[in-house]
């Protein structure tokens, strides 16, 4: 179980989506601090770079990103022992089968499609938060070190 | 005691010969009258033998003297018998003799007594041994009585039950037979071991009134589930008051005996069936009268049939009585022999005859181990009859053959004679015929036929009989008669051979003849005469004419043939060329004839010269195709055949050639066109693939990028509503709500568009698709979503097609959802899915009683985003039917619709039954 003080890393380039996601989290009662990476390269830097801080409780990853796309980010994170077990939820607009399949092949923990309706989005984010931040038992951190 | 003399003698005899020793004594008294001894008066032979003392040593002597004892043995007892007359008996053991005697004493008169000794030594010894054994056994028994050793060592399973039928003891054998250990058995009800419920009480406690049960067969269920058959005894146990307290039961496993018995019964049945179904007769007898007669014990069905008897009438009766002819037949003798020796015997077919029946029987007789006799026999009557008949016929035949042979011999001799005579006379004529051609006449100087000799009657104007003696003028026209008579005179007068050709009308047409005449040296019947030999030369004439015709024709053909024909002599000079040949090379006839192929440049260049050399050398034809420019400047493609021809020993080369220039030019053009087309197709394909890629990228970005702003519109509108709602008036809030609604609809639209695009992009995977099941499933879902609707739904059975399951599923789902949607306002929803088989296709229709549509707009129905109804009336985005059309088109099928406003619609899609989709058709754009 994760403490509600552990942060969430949101990898998202669209500022609208950042705002809406944050708002949806708040609406869904998720109070963990949210760190934002605007592109894939930044996300990798934040998690594995020389100045990397403690790992987040959860990474929300968009697929369509500048510089390094979401699938590439997944591949890099999964090949590093520090983040190979980190819970990563793909949160994207695409419902293409091949995106789904590639994400799961690269060992994403979940794949959630952002609905157009904000009400549904709040619901989806809420359920996701409850599941990944409260219900799910993540492996001990030291494992990855 | 007085006895008659004869009685005395009798007793004397008895006394002497009895096997017991016997002695007569009298008592001896002292002065005081007390009995002190006894005297032996008489002894018998047995006494002598038993006691071992001779009569001289005992008779008249005192017992004390005889037996050497101080006192006379048994004096007191003997004296009592002699004094009282009461007989006595006792047993003694004579230790010196190691013998036991039983001594009987009686008194014939006062003071006298008789002793009878019986040697009972053996009896005594046996009794003693028996007693010792009994004692020993009872000892053992006593020792073992309270231990389990006894119970366990008996070969039967033994157990006891109490009054409640619970097991109280259980021996080793019981453990072995049932598989239950003593610990498991003790305390259990004994019924747990029974395979079937014990209907007959074995526990003696309730129903059999305490009687013992012996030899009952039961089935026991072993612990391992195996069932065994047991034979058991049970004895009730009683307490001192006689009340039943339990039962001792013992049993042994008889499963094997039982199985063996069943097997025996089965084997008996099998043998019986065999016996009954044997196709030979089979009888079983038992010998009587010391093996001279035999009684029927059994007869099988075949036997009954053969003899026309019923076995029930025969069994128990003598064979000589039932079949009196058996002795004459020789079978009885065989029976006797087999009965005596036990050696099986075969009696080959022998005739049996009595008043009732007659027939041939072949018997095989053998003796069974139990002494019964078996005869297996077959009816050989028919064979014998046939044999008999055959023999009879053979005799008759031989007789006939003999007679006929004699007759034939005579006939042959006659024939030989006749033929020889004929041969002689014929030989002469034959010689003439063989030597001369066709028709031979003898004609005299008057023009009269004297003789006709011919094998070809058809060539005569009249039959040869009529011709003989007739005159020339009888048959021929005067002009011909005149010519013939001139010939006759010339021949006869000049004495030289003459020749003539003439034509005659014969039944089968005109015939040409060549005649030669020669004078005869000898006159015929007084007239000078000649031989006239005529030969039919019609065929030769015909050939001559045909040849001249054919030559004309072949020249005409050659001249007019559409192929070039030219011929060259061995030196290469052109000797002949037809019109086509000249035309093809582009020259006139003289120019061509002036050519020598050995010097033609184009022949050398094109390899034709080599082919010509090969054809001439190998005397075989060659075929070559050349493309060249002729000596006269024409560019030509020629298909040339070269063949050597020989005419009057001179070799020529024949060249036949076709101008195939036009074909070749056309082919060249086609090739160029094809190449061009292939190029274009390749370019188009590349462009198409690029477009396809672009399309995919477009679809992907639509899915991603187009939805993102929509989400923002919806999200922020919602945010405004939530955060600032109270600062807006109702209109403001409603507008924001509409903004949200619109963006969500657009989201839905984009999703549907993507689905449509995916439908065209995905690969086509053909399989057998059950449309009936598919439709039923979709209808079930729709009903489940709106269970309150009243419906009448029908799906034709067995609508099976070959196609892509996913595509057909999407098409069917769209049609059914449409039908469901447009019937929503009807009191009863009626939807029918029906199939119709067309040549090479299956048409599937979905009909409903819904809102229908105006046929004026039928063309718009299948275009994307086309809607015929208002959004508020029936929601939708106009992509469903476009999707249906895409799916059906990819199957190489088509779809059409019929409808009337307010009366429902029918959508029909037709799928080709070869089931091949448009796999190779490049995907179409959205």
């Amino acid at each position: 179980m994760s403490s509600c003080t552990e942060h969430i890393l949101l990898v998202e380039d669209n500022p609208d989506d950042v705002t809406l996601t944050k708002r949806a989290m708040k609406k869904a009662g998720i109070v963990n601090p949210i760190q934002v990476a605007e592109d894939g390269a930044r996300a990798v830097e934040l998690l594995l770079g020389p100045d990397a801080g403690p790992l987040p409780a959860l990474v929300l990853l968009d697929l369509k990103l500048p510089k390094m796309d979401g699938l590439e980010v997944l591949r890099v994170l999964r090949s590093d022992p520090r983040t190979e077990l980190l819970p990563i939820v793909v949160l994207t607009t695409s419902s293409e089968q091949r995106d789904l399949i590639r994400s799961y092949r690269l060992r994403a923990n979940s794949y959630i499609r952002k609905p157009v309706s904000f009400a549904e989005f709040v619901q989806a984010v809420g359920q996701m938060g409850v599941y990944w931040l409260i219900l799910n038992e993540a492996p001990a951190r030291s494992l990855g070190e | 005691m007085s006895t008659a003399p004869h009685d005395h003698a009798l007793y004397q005899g008895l006394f002497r010969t009895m096997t017991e020793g016997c002695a007569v004594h009298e008592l001896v008294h002292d002065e005081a009258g007390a009995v002190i001894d006894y005297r032996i008066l008489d002894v018998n032979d047995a006494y002598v033998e038993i006691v071992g003392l001779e009569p001289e040593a005992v008779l008249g002597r005192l017992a004390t003297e005889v037996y050497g004892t101080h006192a006379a043995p048994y004096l007191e007892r003997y004296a009592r018998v002699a004094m009282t007359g009461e007989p006595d008996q006792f047993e003694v053991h004579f230790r010196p003799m190691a013998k036991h005697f039983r001594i009987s004493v009686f008194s014939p008169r006062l003071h006298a007594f008789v002793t009878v000794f019986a040697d009972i030594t053996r009896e005594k010894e046996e009794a003693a041994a028996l007693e010792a054994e009994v004692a020993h056994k009872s000892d053992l028994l006593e020792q073992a009585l309270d231990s389990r050793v006894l119970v366990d060592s008996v070969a039967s399973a033994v157990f006891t039950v109490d009054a409640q039928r619970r097991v109280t003891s259980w021996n080793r054998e019981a453990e072995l037979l049932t598989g239950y250990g003593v610990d498991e058995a003790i305390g259990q009800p004994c019924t747990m071991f029974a395979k079937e419920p014990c209907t007959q009480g074995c526990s003696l406690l309730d129903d059999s009134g305490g009687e013992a049960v012996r030899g009952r067969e039961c089935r026991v269920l072993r612990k391992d589930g195996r069932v065994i058959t047991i034979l058991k005894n049970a004895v009730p146990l009683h307490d001192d008051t006689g009340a039943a307290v339990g039962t001792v039961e013992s049993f042994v496993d008889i499963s094997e005996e039982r199985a063996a018995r069943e097997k025996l019964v089965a084997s008996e049945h099998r043998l019986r069936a065999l016996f009954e179904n044997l196709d030979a007769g089979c009888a079983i007898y038992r010998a009587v009268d010391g093996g001279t007669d035999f009684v029927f014990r059994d007869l099988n069905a075949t036997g009954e049939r053969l003899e026309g008897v019923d076995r029930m009438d025969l069994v128990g009766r003598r064979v000589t009585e039932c079949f009196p002819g058996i002795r004459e037949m020789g079978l009885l003798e065989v029976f006797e022999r087999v009965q005596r020796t036990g050696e099986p015997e075969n009696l080959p077919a022998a005739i049996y005859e009595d008043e009732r029946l007659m027939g041939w029987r072949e018997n095989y007789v053998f003796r069974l181990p139990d002494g019964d006799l078996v005869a297996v026999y077959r009816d050989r009557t028919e064979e014998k009859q046939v044999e008999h008949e055959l023999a009879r016929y053979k005799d008759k035949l031989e007789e006939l053959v003999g007679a006929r042979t004699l007759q034939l011999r005579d006939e042959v001799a006659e024939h030989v004679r006749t033929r020889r005579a004929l041969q002689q006379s014929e030989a002469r004529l034959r010689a003439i015929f063989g030597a001369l051609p066709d028709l031979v006449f003898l004609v005299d100087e008057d023009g009269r036929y004297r003789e006709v000799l011919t094998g070809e009657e058809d060539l005569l104007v009249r039959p040869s009989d009529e011709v003989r003696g007739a005159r020339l003028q009888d048959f021929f026209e005067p002009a011909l008669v005149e010519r013939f008579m001139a010939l006759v005179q010339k021949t006869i007068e000049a004495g030289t051979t003459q020749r003539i050709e003439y034509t005659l009308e014969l039944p089968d047409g005109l015939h040409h003849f060549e005649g030669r005449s020669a004078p005869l040296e000898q006159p015929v019947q007084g007239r000078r005469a000649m031989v006239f030999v005529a030969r039919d030369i019609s065929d030769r004439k015909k050939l001559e004419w045909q040849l001249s015709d054919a030559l004309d024709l072949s020249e005409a053909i050659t001249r007019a043939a559409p192929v070039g024909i030219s011929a060259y002599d061995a030196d290469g000079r052109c000797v002949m060329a037809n019109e086509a040949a000249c035309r093809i090379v582009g020259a006139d006839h003289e120019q061509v004839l002036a050519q020598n192929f050995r010097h033609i440049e184009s022949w050398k260049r094109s390899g034709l010269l080599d082919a010509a050399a090969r054809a001439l050398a190998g005397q075989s034809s060659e075929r070559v195709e050349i493309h060249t420019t002729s000596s006269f400047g024409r560019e030509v493609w020629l298909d040339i055949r070269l063949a050597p021809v020989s005419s009057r020993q001179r070799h020529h080369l024949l060249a036949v050639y076709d101008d195939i220039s036009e074909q070749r030019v056309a082919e060249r053009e086609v090739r160029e066109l094809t190449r061009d087309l292939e190029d274009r197709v390749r370019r188009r394909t590349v462009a198409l693939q690029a477009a396809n890629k672009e399309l995919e990228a477009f679809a992907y970005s639509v899915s991603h990028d187009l939805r993102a702003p929509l989400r923002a519109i919806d999200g922020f509108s919602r945010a405004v509503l939530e955060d600032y709602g109270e600062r807006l008036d109702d209109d403001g809030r409603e507008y924001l709500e509409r903004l949200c609604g619109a963006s969500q609809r657009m989201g839905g639209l984009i999703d549907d568009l993507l689905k449509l695009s995916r439908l065209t992009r995905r690969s086509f995977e053909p399989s057998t698709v059950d449309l009936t099941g598919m439709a039923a499933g979709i209808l079930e879902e729709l009903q489940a979503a709106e269970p309150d609707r009243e419906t009448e739904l029908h799906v034709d059975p067995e609508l099976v097609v070959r196609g892509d399951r996913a595509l057909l599923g999407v098409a069917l789902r769209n049609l059914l959802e449409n039908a469901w949607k447009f019937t929503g306002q009807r009191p009863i929803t009626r939807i029918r899915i029906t199939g119709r088989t067309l040549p090479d296709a299956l048409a599937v229709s979905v009909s409903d009683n819904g809102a229908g549509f105006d046929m004026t707009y039928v063309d718009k129905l299948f275009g994307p985003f086309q809607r015929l109804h208002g959004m508020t009336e029936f929601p939708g985005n106009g992509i469903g039917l476009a999707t249906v059309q895409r799916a059906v088109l990819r199957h190489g099928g088509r779809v059409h619709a019929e409808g009337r406003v307010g009366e429902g619609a029918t959508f029909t899609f037709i799928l080709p039954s070869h089931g091949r989709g448009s796999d190779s058709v490049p995907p179409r754009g959205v």
Side-chain angles (χ1 to χ4, degrees):
Chain A
M1 203 182 281
S2 309
S3 147
C4 59
T5 55
E6 280 177 300
H7 70 284
I8 296 169
L9 176 63
L10 173 64
V11 190
E12 172 66 71
D13 65 322
N14 185 336
D16 285 349
D17 274 347
V18 171
T19 309
L20 287 171
T21 307
K22 283 182 170 173
R23 186 181 166 85
M25 293 244 186
K26 206 167 113 193
K27 288 257 164 204
I30 296 166
V31 295
N32 301 51
I34 295 170
Q35 189 179 21
V36 177
E38 310 79 35
D39 60 61
R42 176 75 185 138
V44 172
E45 194 186 321
L46 282 173
L47 291 167
L48 300 171
D51 304 326
L55 289 177
L58 177 68
V59 176
L60 299 177
L61 180 64
D62 194 5
L63 288 185
K64 210 165 174 245
L65 293 167
K67 293 185 187 169
M68 185 193 273
D69 73 11
L71 292 170
E72 182 62 16
V73 173
L74 251 180
R75 201 182 54 72
V76 172
L77 294 184
R78 286 314 187 208
S79 56
D80 191 293
R82 282 170 289 174
T83 50
E84 67 169 337
L85 300 174
L86 186 65
I88 300 175
V89 173
V90 173
L91 186 64
T92 180
T93 320
S94 163
S95 61
E96 289 287 312
Q97 274 299 311
R98 56 173 185 190
D99 282 344
L100 257 158
I101 290 166
R102 281 182 195 168
S103 299
Y104 279 118
R105 281 232 168 97
L106 289 168
R107 291 156 53 210
N109 295 80
S110 262
Y111 188 105
I112 295 172
R113 192 193 178 203
K114 293 181 210 166
V116 167
S117 158
F118 184 70
E120 286 172 32
F121 188 48
V122 171
Q123 208 181 359
V125 166
Q127 286 171 353
M128 179 192 71
V130 168
Y131 179 76
W132 285 107
L133 298 173
I134 301 172
L135 295 177
N136 185 49
E137 286 286 352
R141 281 306 152 74
S142 54
L143 243 173
E145 300 295 299
Chain B
M1 182 170 176
S2 69
T3 48
H6 73 274
D7 278 341
H8 178 75
L10 183 66
Y11 286 118
Q12 269 299 315
L14 191 61
F15 177 73
R16 290 285 157 217
T17 57
M18 62 193 284
T19 54
E20 284 91 351
C22 195
V24 184
H25 313 78
E26 69 173 359
L27 294 175
V28 177
H29 305 265
D30 65 358
E31 292 89 342
V35 178
I36 52 162
D37 208 337
Y38 53 84
R39 193 181 305 278
I40 298 165
L41 299 181
D42 200 357
V43 294
N44 68 354
D45 294 348
Y47 174 93
V48 172
E49 207 181 318
I50 291 168
V51 181
L53 296 171
E54 289 303 318
E56 298 81 7
V58 295
L59 290 181
R61 291 188 180 224
L62 290 173
T64 44
E65 288 171 26
V66 171
Y67 298 117
T69 51
H70 176 68
Y74 313 111
L75 182 62
E76 252 185 75
R77 291 189 88 136
Y78 291 159
R80 193 165 56 241
V81 173
M83 297 307 291
T84 62
E86 287 278 345
D88 193 4
Q89 190 180 59
F90 59 95
E91 287 173 10
V92 297
H93 184 208
F94 277 176
R95 289 195 195 280
M97 300 168 72
K99 280 193 170 172
H100 292 268
F101 292 103
R102 184 185 292 119
I103 302 175
S104 305
V105 194
F106 64 91
S107 171
R109 58 183 158 87
L110 199 61
H111 299 300
F113 65 94
V114 178
T115 55
V116 179
F117 306 79
D119 186 349
I120 54 163
T121 311
R122 260 190 71 198
E123 278 172 52
K124 274 289 176 191
E125 279 170 358
E126 273 169 12
L130 205 67
E131 209 175 291
E133 202 186 325
V134 167
H136 177 66
K137 275 197 177 151
S138 61
D139 259 2
L140 277 179
L141 218 67
E142 264 169 31
Q143 278 172 33
L145 207 54
D146 282 328
S147 71
R148 288 183 53 78
V149 177
L150 175 70
V151 185
D152 278 355
S153 60
V154 296
S156 304
V158 177
F159 67 98
T160 54
V161 295
D162 62 15
Q164 279 71 48
R165 297 193 190 179
R166 270 197 289 275
V167 174
T168 50
S169 76
W170 191 252
N171 81 341
R172 180 76 196 125
E173 190 68 15
E175 287 185 324
L176 288 176
L177 287 187
T178 62
Y180 288 99
V182 64
D183 298 339
E184 293 168 293
I186 298 287
Q188 295 297 328
C190 65
T191 48
M192 80 176 272
F193 310 110
K195 164 73 173 139
E196 291 95 3
C198 306
T199 49
Q200 295 170 293
C202 57
S203 142
L204 329 167
L205 296 173
D206 23 70
D207 57 350
S208 54
E211 291 290 309
V213 170
R214 299 224 169 264
R216 171 165 302 159
E217 218 175 283
C218 318
R219 301 211 296 157
V220 163
L221 184 63
R222 280 174 53 92
K223 189 182 178 186
D224 60 11
R226 214 147 52 75
V227 174
I228 57 170
T229 306
I230 59 155
L231 193 68
K232 76 167 209 178
N233 296 338
V235 181
L237 290 177
H238 303 283
D239 66 5
D240 297 344
T241 65
V245 293
T247 319
V248 180
E249 306 202 15
S250 66
F251 59 90
V252 288
D253 182 1
I254 57 159
S255 302
E256 276 176 28
E257 291 91 317
R258 166 115 193 181
R261 202 167 66 215
E262 276 165 7
K263 230 157 114 185
L264 205 64
V265 170
S267 141
E268 163 74 20
H269 281 165
R270 272 202 303 282
L271 286 174
R272 183 78 213 170
L274 198 67
F275 175 72
E276 281 304 338
N277 293 308
L278 208 61
D279 77 330
C282 187
I284 302 175
Y285 305 93
R286 170 150 300 170
V288 292
D289 296 351
T292 57
D293 202 351
F294 299 86
V295 167
F296 272 103
R297 300 204 66 200
D298 208 346
L299 179 71
N300 73 350
T302 310
E304 286 184 313
R305 189 167 46 71
L306 285 180
E307 312 306 353
V309 292
D310 187 327
R311 93 179 69 174
M312 299 322 287
D313 297 340
L314 290 187
V315 171
R317 289 173 61 198
R318 285 159 185 270
V319 66
T320 49
E321 176 194 347
C322 303
F323 293 97
I326 190 166
R327 191 181 301 278
E328 283 72 44
M329 181 190 183
L331 185 58
L332 192 65
E333 195 186 321
V334 173
F335 277 14
E336 288 169 2
R337 221 169 21 244
V338 173
Q339 171 67 29
R340 206 165 54 242
T341 64
E343 290 292 316
E345 267 193 53
N346 192 52
L347 180 62
I351 192 159
Y352 174 85
E353 196 168 2
D354 63 21
E355 283 176 1
R356 194 170 59 83
L357 67 102
M358 191 200 100
W360 292 80
R361 300 282 185 272
E362 182 179 346
N363 273 272
Y364 179 74
V365 185
F366 59 95
R367 201 177 73 187
L368 290 176
D370 64 5
D372 279 357
L373 219 56
V374 180
V376 179
Y377 61 98
R378 287 172 195 280
D379 185 1
R380 298 293 187 209
T381 311
E382 268 180 40
E383 287 96 317
K384 281 291 167 186
Q385 272 168 359
V386 170
E387 256 174 47
H388 187 66
E389 286 284 287
L390 265 178
R392 223 153 49 81
Y393 276 123
K394 206 175 141 204
D395 289 350
K396 204 164 174 186
L397 213 66
E398 269 174 8
E399 210 172 282
L400 276 173
V401 167
R404 182 83 186 119
T405 309
L406 286 177
Q407 195 182 340
L408 269 176
R409 202 177 297 148
D410 293 349
E411 280 173 14
V412 167
E414 180 63 33
H415 273 300
V416 168
R417 272 196 299 278
T418 315
R419 206 170 70 202
R420 234 176 249 149
L422 273 174
Q423 272 171 349
Q424 282 167 358
S425 73
E426 260 180 37
R428 286 188 294 271
L429 286 171
R430 206 180 287 272
I432 296 168
F433 273 110
L436 297 173
D438 307 327
L439 303 168
V440 181
F441 307 94
L442 292 184
V443 182
D444 67 12
E445 56 190 326
D446 303 328
R448 191 181 295 275
Y449 290 101
R450 291 298 181 177
E451 182 55 279
V452 187
L453 295 172
T454 178
E456 308 253 351
E457 288 277 331
D458 295 350
L459 293 176
L460 294 174
V461 286
R462 292 283 188 282
S464 51
D465 295 346
E466 286 181 34
V467 174
R468 283 190 200 94
R471 291 160 59 98
L472 286 168
Q473 46 265 51
D474 294 339
F475 308 131
F476 305 121
E477 286 170 23
L480 189 54
V481 172
E482 206 169 300
R483 281 180 69 200
F484 276 133
M485 284 310 294
L487 177 93
V488 171
Q489 274 160 20
K490 244 188 211 164
T491 307
I492 292 173
E493 298 297 333
T496 56
T497 298
Q498 297 294 321
R499 191 177 161 280
I500 186 172
E501 270 190 32
Y502 57 98
T503 307
L504 290 180
E505 178 90 38
L506 292 179
D508 62 340
L510 276 182
H511 280 246
H512 294 270
F513 290 92
E514 182 191 59
R516 288 167 195 275
S517 60
L520 277 179
E521 286 174 11
Q522 300 290 324
V524 177
Q525 291 167 358
R527 306 299 295 175
R528 290 184 300 171
M530 65 170 195
V531 177
F532 183 77
V533 179
R535 178 178 297 175
D536 185 350
I537 55 164
S538 307
D539 288 346
R540 203 175 76 203
K541 277 280 170 199
K542 244 179 250 168
L543 266 178
E544 279 170 18
W545 291 331
Q546 277 170 358
L547 194 63
S548 112
D549 279 355
L551 280 174
D552 290 349
L553 189 64
S554 78
E555 202 189 325
I557 288 169
T558 311
R559 207 166 42 238
V563 293
I565 300 172
S566 51
Y568 306 86
D569 67 16
D571 299 329
R573 277 189 298 269
C574 182
V575 294
M576 175 250 155
N578 72 350
E579 284 165 18
C582 302
R583 195 175 58 242
I584 287 167
V585 298
D588 62 31
H589 199 231
E590 279 71 33
Q591 284 173 309
V592 175
L593 281 178
Q595 280 191 317
N596 182 322
F597 75 77
R598 294 191 188 280
H599 307 305
I600 300 177
E601 192 55 33
S602 64
W603 280 52
K604 283 183 194 155
R605 270 202 317 271
S606 61
L608 194 55
L609 193 60
D610 295 338
R614 279 200 304 276
L616 282 173
Q619 290 295 299
S620 62
S621 51
E622 294 277 331
R623 182 169 185 168
V624 284
E625 190 178 320
I626 59 167
H627 173 211
T628 187
T629 306
S630 78
S631 316
F632 307 100
R634 243 195 111 209
E635 189 196 2
V636 282
W637 278 264
L638 297 176
D639 175 12
I640 304 183
R641 270 141 296 176
L642 298 169
V645 286
S646 295
S647 163
R648 298 196 184 114
Q649 305 297 315
R650 287 164 61 199
H651 298 299
H652 285 74
L653 180 72
L654 179 69
V656 179
Y657 37 101
D658 241 342
D659 185 355
I660 52 168
S661 305
E662 266 177 42
Q663 269 161 268
R664 289 294 174 264
V665 170
E667 272 171 20
R668 193 164 60 185
E669 277 168 14
V670 166
R671 254 201 311 278
E672 278 164 13
L673 267 177
T674 309
R675 204 177 307 127
D676 187 41
L677 212 65
E678 277 169 2
D679 273 354
R680 272 157 61 192
V681 167
R682 208 170 296 124
R683 279 199 302 275
R684 197 66 63 78
T685 308
V686 169
L688 215 62
Q689 277 165 348
N692 227 7
K693 275 233 173 69
E694 212 169 285
L695 186 73
E696 248 173 77
F698 169 71
Y700 189 68
S701 99
V702 163
S703 130
H704 236 93
D705 301 345
L706 223 53
R707 285 161 50 94
L710 281 178
R711 209 162 44 244
I713 294 169
D714 183 73
F716 289 116
S717 303
R718 192 65 59 193
V720 171
L721 271 172
E722 284 167 6
D723 295 358
Y724 307 99
E726 69 277 16
R727 294 199 218 165
L728 295 171
D729 61 7
D730 285 351
D731 278 351
R733 277 195 296 275
E734 198 203 317
Y735 295 157
L736 283 172
E737 288 286 359
R738 286 194 179 190
L739 218 52
C740 292
S743 52
Q744 279 169 34
R745 269 202 307 285
M746 188 159 170
L749 209 55
I750 291 168
D751 285 350
D752 285 344
L753 263 177
L754 281 174
K755 269 187 215 154
L756 182 62
S757 132
R758 258 182 231 137
L759 207 62
T760 38
R761 276 186 288 142
R762 69 187 294 282
S763 66
F764 189 92
E765 285 161 14
S767 66
T768 304
V769 183
D770 169 21
L771 291 179
T772 299
M774 198 178 252
I778 296 170
L779 287 173
E780 228 167 78
E781 275 177 43
L782 292 170
Q783 272 183 300
E786 285 178 73
D788 296 336
R789 267 218 219 172
E790 195 169 330
T791 56
E792 281 176 18
L793 308 176
H794 166 83
V795 185
D796 268 2
E798 288 169 25
L799 297 176
V800 177
V801 293
R802 190 146 174 86
D804 183 293
R805 180 181 305 279
L807 287 175
L808 290 174
V810 168
L812 203 56
R813 178 171 289 277
N814 269 299
L815 289 177
L816 291 176
E817 281 176 356
N818 267 358
W820 187 259
K821 181 165 72 183
F822 288 106
T823 49
Q825 291 166 359
R826 302 283 171 209
I828 297 177
T829 295
R830 289 200 181 87
I831 300 176
R832 293 173 58 79
I833 295 105
T834 52
R836 194 154 46 89
T837 308
L838 308 174
D840 299 329
L842 179 72
V844 179
S845 299
V846 177
S847 321
D848 64 61
N849 63 335
F853 60 88
D854 186 342
M855 282 299 273
T856 317
Y857 307 114
V858 72
D859 296 339
K860 293 193 166 186
L861 221 46
F862 294 102
F865 306 112
Q866 298 289 344
R867 291 178 44 77
L868 298 186
H869 298 273
M871 211 52 178
T872 46
E873 198 183 358
F874 296 105
N877 52 30
I879 293 190
L881 287 177
T883 308
V884 172
Q885 192 176 40
R886 281 289 149 79
V888 173
L889 280 174
R890 287 210 62 192
H891 281 80
R894 61 205 155 82
V895 58
H896 62 85
E898 281 171 75
R900 286 176 74 138
V901 175
E903 291 181 20
T906 297
F907 288 85
T908 303
F909 58 91
I910 296 168
L911 299 172
S913 38
H914 52 76
R916 194 70 200 108
S918 55
D919 226 2
S920 51
V921 175
R924 294 170 186 82
V926 177

